[in-house]
Amino acid sequence: MEATVFNPAQQQLLEMMSFVKSEKVLADLKQVISDYFASQAQAEIDRLWDEGEITLDTIEQWGKEHMRTPYK
């Protein structure tokens, strides 16, 4: 069996988890991490919009796309 090697960020998160003593704290931590990644995604979307890479037409095309998994 191969050993898992954690990068520095993963190691730090694991160390921080020792302070999580309740479900409430865990839920709060999950929300903070989720909010962070949501804000990063929103910033990237804003950048693409500002640079004209995403337009209303692009968004309308996305709404019409069918990306379903083909079943046999």
Side-chain angles (χ1 to χ4, degrees):
M1 184 171 173
E2 199 171 314
T4 301
V5 178
F6 295 111
N7 67 39
Q10 291 169 322
Q11 289 174 348
Q12 188 166 8
L13 282 172
L14 284 171
E15 289 171 14
M16 289 173 28
M17 294 307 291
S18 69
F19 297 105
V20 175
K21 303 291 184 196
S22 71
E23 291 295 320
K24 170 79 170 100
V25 173
L26 179 59
D28 290 347
L29 182 57
K30 285 180 176 180
Q31 188 62 53
V32 168
I33 292 170
S34 177
D35 291 346
Y36 170 78
F37 284 110
S39 72
Q40 294 297 301
Q42 186 62 54
E44 182 63 12
I45 290 168
D46 290 344
R47 183 189 68 77
L48 293 169
W49 181 271
D50 292 342
E51 293 178 3
E53 293 184 45
I54 295 176
T55 64
L56 284 176
D57 290 336
T58 308
I59 294 170
E60 287 179 18
Q61 288 173 355
W62 290 342
K64 296 175 185 173
E65 285 184 6
H66 295 283
M67 299 190 307
R68 297 185 181 106
T69 302
Y71 295 102
K72 296 181 182 181

